[in-house]
Amino acid sequence: MDARAVFALLVSGRLGLALSFPWLPDALKYDHMLSSPLTARLRLQEGIFLYQHDIDPYSGSAFRHSPLYLSLFTTLLPIISSPTACILLWTAADALAAYSLVRIWRARAGGASERDGLVAAAYLLNPYLFLPSLGLSTSTFENLSILLALMFACEGSSSPALLAFALATHLTPPLSSLLLLLPLLGVLLSGPASSLEDPCTFTSPALRMTRLGAEYLTYVLVLGAAAAIVVGDDTYTLKWGWVGQTWGTSLTLPDLTPNIGLWWYFFTEMFDHFRPFFLGVFSIHLVIYIMPISIKFQHDPLYASFLLIGILATFKAYLTLADPGLFLSMGILFPEVWTYLRHPLPTFLLHLHAALLLPLLHALWTSHGTGNANFFYAATLVMGVANGAGVVDWCWAGMRIAIGGRGGVAGGRKIRVKGGDGEGVLEEEKDEEVKTTHSEWELEEGWEERWEVVQE
């Protein structure tokens, strides 16, 4: 079937399913797995109500969305109170995000292919993405802005890419979005083509990198000024109180509403005098992954972006199902790595286990009263293990593909040599399925084992 027909069928199916159950947004708006204090539609409605009645929505602690949402839903699209109109908007955002993913795939593959429909299905049929969209969580727009930035970067359009990423910085906590800045600049400078099988050192003029960084910073400041004008008392007044209530939430964690992340329960049990130290530890823990992954996968910055999205999907402060959903859907972009994954089935089963445990233990705690917070947090730990296992597996596969691996496209041979000059080959064994251990080789004194990869 033609990719366009598949895409239209998927979008129509999604929209038809959502419109068939118009009561679902209200039923899901309290679900802690689908929305967080930063993405919940209920809190967005409250902030819009306060804003329309000339009350500063950031004067309390309930509203933590970007002021750009206030501008969008009070002037351009005043539809937040209409479930049907919201369903149409959220479905359109998902469709655009899926189309962006297809465009990223085409840029990486070098053109349209038979896999385009599969790429769209990987996004539109992902329950981790579909359910938050049904619950009208604003995480849908966060994922859209990230995918738009990557799409424009893959196509070489630097200004739209940086503008979309600046928008993502405003819609999500900056600590989260800034993880992707370095690989995004790498995609702009080196392109999206797959280089995992043939890694090489990344070289680019420092001047161009600086110019792109300055352009991104300019967009962030312009959008920040626009946000300050939105919440100002009049057109010429800038108000910056929203910064601490939005950008500062990932650093100070003021709202301990339960979610599927790893932070909330830990800091609920934390003594106050230890809190600043561990907030710093948790925040720095996110940041330390940027340089190692960006350097290790400098030859394929799109893959580095994918891995850092997986890190966010594991350790983000206010996590929802949409975060691991984006990571899992982006895995469709890297088919050359699939054969190198070492434990995809256990990772899938962990996700399935977590997907069953989370709603069950959440209901036992909040609805039936037969459980407590420990029950739900245990399920979130299973989700954390599932996300972490996926990130580790994809990271391993991305490194392994360069030298050939189990079931991969590269063969190899094991040789024993004496000394280090490669002379005196004793034995040679061709291995179509490259083994990763050679414990069965017993070497005599003065001989050493050497592994050589032979590209077929």
Side-chain angles (χ1 to χ4, degrees):
M1 187 182 294
D2 182 70
R4 294 181 180 178
V6 172
F7 186 79
L9 183 63
L10 290 170
V11 174
S12 300
R14 278 282 304 268
L15 183 58
L17 182 61
L19 292 176
S20 299
F21 304 96
W23 47 269
L24 271 177
D26 286 332
L28 298 176
K29 65 183 178 183
Y30 297 108
D31 198 311
H32 295 147
M33 295 169 286
L34 307 182
S35 59
S36 71
L38 278 64
T39 63
R41 176 200 175 206
L42 192 64
R43 300 206 179 201
L44 179 59
Q45 284 180 302
E46 183 173 351
I48 291 173
F49 177 83
L50 295 173
Y51 179 71
Q52 289 176 334
H53 289 78
D54 296 326
I55 302 173
D56 184 4
Y58 299 103
S59 58
S61 59
F63 185 67
R64 301 191 181 278
H65 290 71
S66 169
L68 299 179
Y69 283 119
L70 294 176
S71 178
L72 175 66
F73 288 110
T74 57
T75 56
L76 298 178
L77 296 169
I79 60 171
I80 196 64
S81 300
S82 171
T84 302
C86 286
I87 286 173
L88 292 173
L89 177 62
W90 262 256
T91 303
D94 271 342
L96 183 56
Y99 180 65
S100 300
L101 195 66
V102 172
R103 293 267 293 270
I104 294 171
W105 162 250
R106 289 175 178 174
R108 186 171 177 85
S113 69
E114 297 178 353
R115 197 182 292 270
D116 292 356
L118 181 61
V119 173
Y123 192 92
L124 292 172
L125 298 182
N126 188 336
Y128 282 2
L129 296 170
F130 181 40
L131 290 174
S133 182
L134 277 179
L136 303 183
S137 168
T138 56
S139 55
T140 298
F141 299 103
E142 297 175 5
N143 288 346
L144 171 61
S145 59
I146 291 173
L147 287 176
L148 283 174
L150 289 174
M151 179 194 76
F152 287 125
C154 289
E155 295 176 350
S157 302
S158 59
S159 295
L162 295 173
L163 179 59
F165 192 67
L167 180 63
T169 303
H170 277 271
L171 299 184
T172 64
L175 183 63
S176 302
S177 57
L178 287 178
L179 262 70
L180 305 177
L181 178 59
L182 207 56
L184 180 75
L185 295 177
V187 174
L188 283 170
L189 294 172
S190 63
S194 176
S195 303
L196 292 172
E197 296 179 7
D198 186 24
C200 57
T201 304
F202 172 77
T203 56
S204 179
L207 182 60
R208 191 180 176 206
M209 176 77 82
T210 304
R211 184 187 64 80
L212 291 174
E215 185 177 355
Y216 162 72
L217 184 60
T218 301
Y219 291 141
V220 170
L221 293 176
V222 169
L223 289 175
I229 291 174
V230 168
V231 297
D233 296 328
D234 54 60
T235 308
Y236 304 102
T237 303
L238 300 181
K239 213 168 188 179
W240 299 97
W242 60 272
V243 175
Q245 294 284 7
T246 56
W247 290 359
T249 50
S250 61
L251 297 174
T252 59
L253 205 74
D255 195 319
L256 295 175
T257 301
N259 56 75
I260 65 169
L262 304 176
W263 291 43
W264 68 273
Y265 187 81
F266 186 84
F267 285 97
T268 298
E269 301 294 327
M270 176 69 60
F271 290 112
D272 288 342
H273 55 280
F274 290 127
R275 183 181 172 90
F277 171 75
F278 281 100
L279 280 172
V281 170
F282 274 56
S283 299
I284 293 172
H285 176 250
L286 264 178
V287 175
I288 61 174
Y289 291 100
I290 300 176
M291 292 307 296
I293 290 180
S294 298
I295 293 173
K296 184 61 183 177
F297 295 99
Q298 58 185 293
H299 50 280
D300 198 333
L302 182 61
Y303 197 76
S305 301
F306 166 66
L307 291 177
L308 287 172
I309 287 173
I311 295 294
L312 281 174
T314 307
F315 299 114
K316 193 175 178 181
Y318 291 98
L319 199 67
T320 67
L321 286 179
D323 297 298
L326 178 61
F327 173 68
L328 294 175
S329 292
M330 285 189 67
I332 197 72
L333 300 175
F334 311 100
E336 70 274 19
V337 180
W338 294 351
T339 52
Y340 294 90
L341 295 173
R342 303 195 66 181
H343 44 77
L345 183 59
T347 302
F348 168 76
L349 292 177
L350 279 170
H351 272 286
L352 181 62
H353 188 51
L356 295 174
L357 279 181
L358 282 168
L360 175 63
L361 298 185
H362 184 267
L364 287 177
W365 175 30
T366 60
S367 300
H368 301 284
T370 54
N372 55 36
N374 295 320
F375 285 51
F376 184 63
Y377 189 62
T380 66
L381 291 177
V382 177
M383 174 60 77
V385 171
N387 292 332
V391 174
V392 170
D393 202 7
W394 282 97
C395 188
W396 164 264
M399 293 186 290
R400 186 62 181 160
I401 190 175
I403 58 173
R406 194 180 302 274
V409 297
R413 62 186 179 188
K414 292 176 291 192
I415 62 175
R416 296 189 215 176
V417 299
K418 190 167 187 177
D421 54 3
E423 297 179 355
V425 176
L426 245 184
E427 293 185 34
E428 179 177 315
E429 179 183 342
K430 184 69 179 294
D431 190 6
E432 293 295 337
E433 200 174 79
V434 177
K435 296 181 179 179
T436 55
T437 61
H438 317 286
S439 57
E440 68 273 18
W441 289 70
E442 296 182 2
L443 302 178
E444 299 176 359
E445 185 177 358
W447 295 78
E448 69 179 34
E449 184 177 341
R450 178 175 296 174
W451 176 252
E452 292 184 358
V453 173
V454 181
Q455 296 294 335
E456 302 290 16

